[in-house]
Amino acid sequence: NLLGNNARTWTSRVLDKLPGTQAWPNNPTDTDTEVVAMANAYLGYLRRQNDDASMLMRAGALVQTGGSVAFSPVWDPNLGSKMKPVPQLDELGMPLLDEMGMPIEDEAEPQGEQVVRLLSVFDFVTDGAQFIEDAQWCAIRTSMSEDSARALLCEHGIEPDESTPIKADNAIDLWGEQSDPVVESWELWALPSTTIPHGLFALVVGNVVAQVMDFPLEHGELPLCVWKCVEREASQWGDTHVTDALPQQTSLNEMLSMQARLVRLKADVFFVGLKSVVDDFENGENFTTVGSTDEIKNPGQFITTPDISRDVYEAMDRAQAAISETFGIAETVATGGDPSSTKSAKQL
């Protein structure tokens, strides 16, 4: 619970002000100012349409689990508002009419929309460059239903048959849960280089290469943005605070187990005394007999375990403070503790 609480607190602090893009005017003219206002309004619309706030909170949970997440923009032709229906025309350019005298119109098609895909560490790979800006290629994994995979292949002129089988397999998600059967697909993006002069884009659906073409993006960058929790030197992957805090959490768990065991022992009270007294005590008797006056002076006594040492509580406090310092969060923010109890902690 402590690790999870710190991870959620870290995410909420980092995303207190959601990252975004804003346009600024090049000069103070009215035209430039109006264009900038329109651009910012459209960027705000895209953020709301893509539900950036929810997506970034999910990304925060993933980046604390795997150390890295990635965002990949893609154009989805099946989204967006539908275009105005277009009437069908005859050879003379006149609208075709149905039996009721109404124009025959083509079915309205959606205009498409830009969306951003959230990718876990298991859904993308690069050439190993530490920064995505330096990478020369990347591969992105997605999944779809068997029907969607067949439809996608048909769009590219490929009819699945025995030679190009498409079969959905059960998949395991990031949390170890088995999902519905899906078809795995990969997108390969390679920038122009001496090896591949024109770059490359390839789409592989199942085991079928559905599309191959030159690198299509005019801006010349890979369609991938990577967020790392903690930078790892000379690695395409990041690290996570949870990994660094595991030794402290293990120590804290040991202290909690020791404390629970001592409390159980403390509750088990033993009585040592004369046999007659013990027998009557077990039987719930309020009166007993003894053989001599010496036995009356010392009929028996209760034996309990010693009190729990303060060292146990101090070790627990040190482990909890170390976890907060590992996350870089003041303990008072994450747990309501004393803000002066951590030295290197800081509120993000």
Side-chain angles (χ1 to χ4, degrees):
N1 290 338
L2 185 59
L3 282 180
N5 189 31
N6 275 279
R8 287 187 292 270
T9 303
W10 181 88
T11 301
S12 63
R13 292 291 169 177
V14 169
L15 300 178
D16 184 26
K17 294 182 180 180
L18 297 178
T21 304
Q22 185 174 359
W24 297 90
N26 288 326
N27 52 70
T29 60
D30 293 339
T31 302
D32 214 24
T33 304
E34 292 175 359
V35 171
V36 165
M38 293 175 60
N40 286 328
Y42 181 67
L43 291 172
Y45 162 77
L46 289 179
R47 285 193 290 269
R48 293 189 298 271
Q49 189 71 15
N50 291 328
D51 196 5
D52 281 6
S54 297
M55 179 184 64
L56 288 171
M57 289 303 294
R58 296 197 309 273
L62 287 175
V63 79
Q64 281 287 351
T65 305
S68 303
V69 292
F71 306 91
S72 176
V74 64
W75 180 262
D76 193 333
N78 298 318
L79 297 181
S81 58
K82 293 187 176 181
M83 296 181 290
K84 185 178 180 180
V86 179
Q88 296 183 9
L89 305 178
D90 59 13
E91 297 155 349
L92 300 177
M94 301 297 293
L96 295 176
L97 305 178
D98 58 15
E99 297 177 355
M100 303 297 294
M102 300 298 293
I104 301 176
E105 298 177 337
D106 293 329
E107 184 178 356
E109 296 290 339
Q111 299 185 41
E113 200 165 79
Q114 182 81 25
V115 296
V116 178
R117 298 176 294 188
L118 177 60
L119 307 173
S120 71
V121 290
F122 304 106
D123 297 327
F124 73 96
V125 65
T126 69
D127 59 3
Q130 180 176 351
F131 304 104
I132 188 61
E133 296 83 0
D134 301 328
Q136 293 299 307
W137 62 264
C138 69
I140 300 172
R141 184 180 71 167
T142 58
S143 58
M144 63 189 73
S145 66
E146 187 172 339
D147 292 337
S148 299
R150 292 181 181 276
L152 181 59
L153 289 177
C154 290
E155 289 180 7
H156 291 88
I158 301 175
E159 187 67 32
D161 52 23
E162 294 182 358
S163 62
T164 56
I166 294 295
K167 180 176 175 52
D169 297 320
N170 290 331
I172 304 297
D173 64 13
L174 181 63
W175 313 112
E177 300 292 336
Q178 183 169 311
S179 63
D180 295 331
V182 294
V183 176
E184 187 177 271
S185 64
W186 284 90
E187 299 174 9
L188 176 61
W189 301 81
L191 297 175
S193 61
T194 55
T195 306
I196 311 175
H198 301 290
L200 175 69
F201 169 76
L203 174 63
V204 181
V205 180
N207 295 323
V208 182
V209 179
Q211 185 181 13
V212 177
M213 59 187 300
D214 293 342
F215 190 78
L217 303 179
E218 295 182 359
H219 54 64
E221 297 180 2
L222 296 174
L224 205 63
C225 176
V226 179
W227 176 19
K228 299 179 182 179
C229 179
V230 178
E231 196 71 45
R232 185 187 297 178
E233 191 66 25
S235 174
Q236 61 177 312
W237 310 116
D239 214 337
T240 170
H241 299 122
V242 175
T243 303
D244 296 335
L246 279 178
Q248 290 84 3
Q249 182 66 63
T250 301
S251 177
L252 181 60
N253 292 344
E254 293 174 353
M255 295 299 106
L256 288 172
S257 299
M258 184 184 301
Q259 183 184 22
R261 178 173 176 271
L262 292 175
V263 168
R264 286 195 298 268
L265 292 175
K266 189 76 173 175
D268 293 334
V269 180
F270 295 92
F271 179 77
V272 178
L274 301 174
K275 185 178 186 306
S276 60
V277 176
V278 172
D279 292 341
D280 291 338
F281 180 78
E282 287 183 341
N283 295 329
E285 299 291 340
N286 294 326
F287 300 95
T288 185
T289 59
V290 295
S292 65
T293 55
D294 293 336
E295 294 178 353
I296 296 177
K297 295 179 181 179
N298 188 21
Q301 63 179 348
F302 290 99
I303 298 178
T304 62
T305 58
D307 293 334
I308 301 176
S309 173
R310 286 191 55 83
D311 294 338
V312 176
Y313 296 103
E314 292 176 357
M316 291 175 57
D317 293 340
R318 287 195 299 270
Q320 186 166 323
I323 291 176
S324 297
E325 291 176 357
T326 299
F327 279 85
I329 301 173
E331 194 172 356
T332 184
V333 176
T335 64
D338 182 7
S340 63
S341 61
T342 53
K343 298 180 179 179
S344 63
K346 56 184 179 181
Q347 295 185 21
L348 299 180

